Structure formats: structure tokens, C-alpha cells
């Protein structure tokens, strides 16, 4: 079996229900993503209050499905009427029953016979590693899910779950941007190198915070602008993507936009890698101090 590998960019569909793209318009958008070389899409069962997967599935043709790598996530139970928890306490649920039920619902939503990757969306403080492993192994044996990973897991949480599996977790989806660099210090990116897997990076522009008027954001934008000018990139956001893609763990950056022009701009940055001086210039602008 060929080893699973993530591309430099993944299309994220967290806000699909807000994009007003439905049916044929969404089908065309997926086709345009493929033309740009983006063949991997990121979803979660709860996105759009449980509607985004269905919207995406309605736009899929059998041909498009065969060209796509579909990633979804499960394990968050908001206090919403849609899942029967209105008025109750939001919680995490990484039980075997919930993992399997969520995966099977995602299969129905996407109108497909398999998910390429399923992630546990958030660490569950009541996580029973053996129970998760049982769910993963059952889904894998049935061919319903081909690969598994986690999202927002600490190093110890990742290692605990990996210790119960005889196959490799393929990713840890984490927050990372030039403003949010905790993964550089907490061992998460080192763990990815150790296991030879690519982390998926969400909120690569800090949820728009990169363009805020805070002192940190202004410093980082200035550093990114200088890097852009030196490397032939056109914009601060392109330089931010190049900064992330320079990481030696070979990350995969999630682009959570429905605007094709922004995706085209991001893809244009995929061939650029920064020098060490350029990379640390951005790091210094973010931290506000030089290396020791």
C-alpha cells in the first residue's frame, strides 16, 4: 500500500455554508481546485452546524470523488438542537460508538464508500486510547476509512494513541501562523519529524489577525513584506505561506477560503523557501526579540 502523503496546500471547507456556493457552482469550484493541483479537502462533521459535508457531497460527481482526498474530523458535541444536546453541556466524545457513527454519517453526507482520512477533532479528557484504536481498526478493516490522524493533540496525547495502533497516524492538525508559533516550542513539530508525518496547519494567517493593527502584527507584516520583495512574491500572505512551508516537517497548509484568486495566490508561493536569515527575521518580528 502506498504511503499516505499530504500536499503543500489543502482546501478547507469550515465556512462552506457562508460562501453561498451550491450545486453546480460548488462543483465548478472543486474542478477549479483540481486544476490548481489542490486535490485534498478538509471537513468536519460539525462544520456549518452539520451542513457543510452534505453541501459538498451534493456537489460531488463520481469522477470528482475519485480525484479527491477527503479528510473529515469527529468528536466534538456542541450544545445544539441538531445533535439532540440543546440546553445540555457541550463536550467531547471519542467513544468507539461515536467515532463509528460519525464516520458512517460522513460517508452518507459525501455519498462515498470511504473516507481517505478521519481525525479526532479535539483531545478528549476522557479519551480511552484502546477504545479509539478499536474504532479505527474496525473502520479500517471494513474499508470505510483508509487513514487516521488527530487534530490539536499534544505530544503526549499523540504518543499515547499511536502506542495502541499497529499503523501510523498520518497527521496532527494544529494551529500555526507567524503570530501563533507555540508548536515550535511544545515539541509538536519535532514529533512530526520524528514520525515522518506532515502536520496540517489551520489558521495560517491567524484568522485574519495578521492584518490587524496590533504591534506584533505590524512588525510581522513589515518583515513579511521585506521577505516578499526579496523572494519575488507579490504579497504579505504569500510570504506567510512560504514561511510556513519552509518548516522542515513539510507541513500542509489549510486554505479556508472560497475565493479562487486567493487560492491561486497561495499556490504561487508553494515553490518558495526562505533562507534561514529570512525565516528568523519573521520569527524575531513575531516574538519581539532576537535569538538568545
Amino acid at each position: 500500500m502506498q504511503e499516505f502523503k499530504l500536499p503543500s496546500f489543502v482546501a478547507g471547507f469550515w465556512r462552506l455554508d457562508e460562501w453561498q456556493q451550491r450545486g453546480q457552482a460548488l462543483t465548478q469550484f472543486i474542478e477549479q481546485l483540481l486544476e490548481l493541483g489542490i486535490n485534498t479537502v478538509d471537513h468536519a462533521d460539525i462544520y456549518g452546524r452539520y451542513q457543510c459535508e452534505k453541501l459538498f457531497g451534493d456537489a460531488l460527481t463520481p469522477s470528482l470523488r475519485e480525484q479527491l482526498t477527503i479528510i473529515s474530523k469527529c468528536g466534538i458535541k456542541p450544545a445544539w438542537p441538531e445533535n439532540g444536546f440543546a440546553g445540555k453541556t457541550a463536550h467531547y466524545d471519542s467513544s468507539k460508538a461515536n467515532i463509528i457513527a460519525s464516520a458512517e454519517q460522513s460517508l452518507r453526507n459525501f455519498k462515498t464508500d470511504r473516507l481517505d482520512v478521519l481525525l479526532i477533532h479535539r483531545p478528549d479528557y476522557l479519551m480511552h486510547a484502546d477504545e479509539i484504536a478499536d474504532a479505527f481498526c474496525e473502520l479500517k478493516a471494513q474499508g470505510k476509512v483508509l487513514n487516521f490522524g488527530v487534530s490539536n493533540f499534544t505530544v503526549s496525547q499523540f504518543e499515547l494513541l499511536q502506542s495502541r495502533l499497529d499503523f501510523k497516524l498520518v497527521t496532527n492538525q494544529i494551529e500555526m501562523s507567524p503570530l501563533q508559533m507555540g508548536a515550535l516550542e511544545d515539541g509538536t513539530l519535532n514529533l512530526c519529524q520524528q514520525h515522518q508525518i506532515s502536520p496540517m496547519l489551520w489558521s495560517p494567517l491567524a484568522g485574519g489577525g495578521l492584518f490587524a493593527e496590533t504591534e506584533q502584527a505590524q512588525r510581522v507584516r513589515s518583515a513579511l513584506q521585506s521577505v516578499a520583495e526579496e523572494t519575488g512574491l507579490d504579497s504579505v500572505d504569500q510570504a506567510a505561506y512560504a514561511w510556513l512551508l519552509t518548516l522542515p516537517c513539510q507541513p500542509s497548509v489549510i486554505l479556508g477560503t472560497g475565493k479562487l484568486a486567493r487560492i491561486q495566490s497561495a499556490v504561487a508561493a508553494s515553490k518558495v523557501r526562505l533562507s534561514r536569515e529570512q525565516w528568523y527575521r519573521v520569527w524575531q518580528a513575531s516574538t519581539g526579540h532576537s535569538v538568545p
Side-chain angles (χ1 to χ4, degrees):
M1 183 176 179
Q2 187 175 7
E3 186 174 356
F4 178 81
K5 184 170 176 58
L6 284 163
S8 294
F9 289 106
V10 168
F13 287 85
W14 172 31
R15 293 192 173 95
L16 172 58
D17 62 321
E18 302 173 14
W19 297 348
Q20 301 304 310
Q21 292 186 10
R22 302 287 190 272
Q24 184 57 40
L26 181 53
T27 300
Q28 183 178 20
F29 180 69
I30 298 168
E31 291 171 343
Q32 291 168 327
L33 289 175
L34 288 168
E35 289 171 3
L36 290 172
I38 296 181
N39 66 352
T40 304
V41 294
D42 179 68
H43 291 267
D45 55 358
I46 63 168
Y47 284 172
R49 298 178 76 96
Y50 296 97
Q51 294 305 305
C52 288
E53 287 189 345
K54 294 177 183 178
L55 290 172
F56 193 88
D58 288 343
L60 276 184
T61 65
S63 174
L64 287 178
R65 170 62 190 99
E66 292 308 310
Q67 297 175 70
L68 290 174
T69 296
I70 297 179
I71 299 171
S72 194
K73 301 182 285 295
C74 68
I76 301 179
K77 293 291 187 180
W80 294 341
E82 291 92 331
N83 63 337
F85 287 112
K88 298 184 179 180
T89 301
H91 57 282
Y92 300 135
D93 186 351
S94 62
S95 66
K96 179 179 180 179
N98 185 62
I99 292 170
I100 290 176
S102 178
E104 291 179 340
Q105 182 59 54
S106 291
L107 293 176
R108 291 189 289 271
N109 290 341
F110 293 125
K111 300 180 176 68
T112 186
D113 62 350
R114 84 278 182 196
L115 295 175
D116 295 287
V117 188
L118 180 66
L119 312 180
I120 302 299
H121 203 157
R122 290 275 179 179
D124 177 5
Y125 301 117
L126 300 179
M127 175 178 78
H128 195 301
D130 291 316
E131 190 172 354
I132 295 177
D134 283 347
F136 282 5
C137 290
E138 183 170 315
L139 289 166
K140 190 177 183 70
Q142 294 171 344
K144 293 178 179 179
V145 182
L146 306 184
N147 300 280
F148 299 87
V150 295
S151 181
N152 304 297
F153 269 44
T154 66
V155 170
S156 63
Q157 289 162 345
F158 184 101
E159 291 280 36
L160 170 60
L161 182 53
Q162 183 63 77
S163 74
R164 299 303 200 270
L165 297 166
D166 59 6
F167 52 84
K168 182 186 291 189
L169 294 169
V170 298
T171 192
N172 187 4
Q173 186 175 132
I174 60 170
E175 182 178 7
M176 178 80 185
S177 74
L179 298 187
Q180 175 54 262
M181 305 190 300
L184 295 173
E185 303 290 345
D186 64 16
T188 302
L189 299 185
N190 295 337
L191 182 74
C192 290
Q193 282 203 73
Q194 178 184 337
H195 287 268
Q196 296 181 311
I197 62 173
S198 296
M200 297 175 69
L201 308 183
W202 60 268
S203 204
L205 303 181
L210 184 60
F211 303 99
E213 293 307 315
T214 64
E215 289 186 12
Q216 181 194 29
Q218 291 182 54
R219 292 195 309 265
V220 171
R221 283 201 305 276
S222 178
L224 288 170
Q225 183 59 45
S226 69
V227 167
E229 292 170 358
E230 292 169 8
T231 56
L233 295 171
D234 295 328
S235 63
V236 164
D237 54 334
Q238 281 187 330
Y241 296 136
W243 185 83
L244 291 168
L245 292 173
T246 299
L247 291 165
C249 57
Q250 298 182 310
S252 183
V253 178
I254 301 173
L255 304 173
T257 178
K259 297 180 179 178
L260 193 65
R262 292 186 62 184
I263 296 173
Q264 289 172 323
S265 175
V267 170
S270 63
K271 303 299 183 184
V272 174
R273 297 295 181 268
L274 308 189
S275 70
R276 276 180 159 76
E277 189 278 331
Q278 290 167 330
W279 192 92
Y280 276 101
R281 192 188 314 165
V282 177
W283 178 90
Q284 177 173 301
S286 183
T287 62
H289 59 78
S290 178
V291 296

